[in-house]
Amino acid sequence: MHDRPLTLMAVHAHPDDEATGTGGVLARYAAEGIRTVLVTCTDGSCGDGPEGVKPGDPGHDPAAVALMRRHELESSCDILKVSHLEMLGYADSGMMGWPANDAPGSFWQTPVEEGAARLAELLRRYQPDVVVTYDENGFYGHPDHIQANRITMTALAMTAQTPKVYWTTAPRSMMQRFGETMREFGADWQEPDPAEAAAMAEIGLPDEEITTWVDTTAFGGQKFDALAAHASQGENIFFLKMGQKRFTELMGVETFVRVQDTTGAAVPENDLFAGLR
């Protein structure tokens, strides 16, 4: 028996990541009475500034961007009914190869043990039954996503806690549909060159390797609205161009790979909390 509510903890890299990859499960499980905890590791300061000004361009103020994105993140959490938001506050490292990768204080430059120790404190406080983060490649090679995986897995080892642990992923079949949808909605979308196409083909997993398929269709509106709350990044959020109906059709099932489990729940499963209730 629990002396606390069942708890889901999602560890994400930037403001808006919570909506893209796990907005559906955060909304669904909150509606089911499960406590939801979002840990956001960076301040998002490498995002677009007002009127779409890009990092490194004149007028881009990282501190102002970070503050703006914090407010957007809080709005997203309100929409998804997230119970607790925890921000580690590391500086956004930008995309792989950006100068921000090497900046002192960036998440990518933070020793894994340091970030993990801070996350371990949150694990001890909330004692989650389920933890969700990215895979070892950060899904698509983003340095802050990779670092989020590293600190999460190290923190779990530090605490010796044994929640069910999941890495976000996408079925290859969905990635194919996504490419088709991009061509449908993006008039200026061009076919990637062969090298880029090969890299994109490696994103996600074959459908049969995915352990967990969670239907979040009923929460598609909340997920869409949470993503839309990150209005400053709208130019980079392709999904918003679809409209809510098509967005829900494409993004209404969230998929994961289960990498730690002590419940013995059979896979494939359709519930992150299978075996826990």
Side-chain angles (χ1 to χ4, degrees):
M1 296 292 292
H2 288 280
D3 57 0
R4 55 181 169 73
L6 282 171
T7 301
L8 165 66
M9 176 180 284
V11 182
H12 280 292
H14 313 97
D16 78 30
D17 289 333
E18 81 291 338
T20 306
T22 57
V25 293
L26 287 168
R28 170 180 163 166
Y29 290 120
E32 293 179 7
I34 288 171
R35 180 173 62 169
T36 53
V37 180
L38 171 63
V39 181
T40 300
C41 297
T42 80
D43 60 7
S45 56
C46 284
D48 288 357
E51 300 183 10
V53 62
K54 303 298 181 184
D57 287 350
H60 187 277
D61 180 347
V65 170
L67 180 60
M68 174 177 63
R69 298 196 71 184
R70 181 187 180 98
H71 292 324
E72 292 175 340
L73 178 60
E74 291 169 348
S75 295
S76 173
C77 287
D78 287 344
I79 292 165
L80 297 173
K81 308 301 182 187
V82 169
S83 308
H84 301 275
L85 170 62
E86 300 284 352
M87 299 189 69
L88 299 186
Y90 292 109
D92 190 340
S93 309
M95 300 295 286
M96 191 66 82
W98 285 18
N101 294 175
D102 301 320
S106 72
F107 191 36
W108 188 237
Q109 289 297 315
T110 299
V112 170
E113 292 74 15
E114 177 188 321
R118 294 183 61 197
L119 183 58
E121 292 180 10
L122 298 177
L123 288 170
R124 295 185 186 101
R125 182 188 310 168
Y126 291 107
Q127 299 180 51
D129 302 278
V130 173
V131 173
V132 175
T133 193
Y134 314 97
D135 64 21
E136 293 163 310
N137 189 47
F139 186 58
Y140 65 99
H142 194 297
D144 287 332
H145 292 214
I146 294 169
Q147 190 77 330
N149 167 277
R150 292 173 176 171
I151 74 161
T152 300
M153 303 312 292
T154 303
L156 287 163
M158 285 179 173
T159 63
Q161 291 186 15
T162 56
K164 296 179 80 176
V165 179
Y166 294 89
W167 293 347
T168 56
T169 190
R172 295 267 168 83
S173 60
M174 189 277 279
M175 295 303 297
Q176 181 178 353
R177 292 197 303 276
F178 175 60
E180 294 167 354
T181 305
M182 287 188 75
R183 286 188 287 274
E184 177 184 349
F185 284 90
D188 59 349
W189 168 258
Q190 297 182 12
E191 291 289 343
D193 65 34
E196 290 176 340
M200 289 178 66
E202 294 302 312
I203 293 176
L205 289 172
D207 292 29
E208 63 272 14
E209 293 183 20
I210 292 173
T211 64
T212 312
W213 305 69
V214 183
D215 184 356
T216 61
T217 304
F219 303 92
Q222 278 176 265
K223 181 173 177 174
F224 184 87
D225 290 346
L227 201 55
H230 296 280
S232 68
Q233 309 307 304
E235 182 181 330
N236 304 316
I237 303 176
F238 165 78
F239 302 107
L240 296 175
K241 298 178 182 179
M242 302 179 189
Q244 182 178 308
K245 182 175 184 295
R246 289 297 301 276
F247 173 84
T248 300
E249 290 172 355
L250 186 67
M251 306 287 285
V253 175
E254 293 182 349
T255 51
F256 307 86
V257 174
R258 193 173 81 190
V259 295
Q260 178 174 296
D261 172 63
T262 59
T263 69
V267 293
E269 60 187 359
N270 60 11
D271 179 9
L272 297 178
F273 288 83
L276 292 169
R277 54 180 177 172

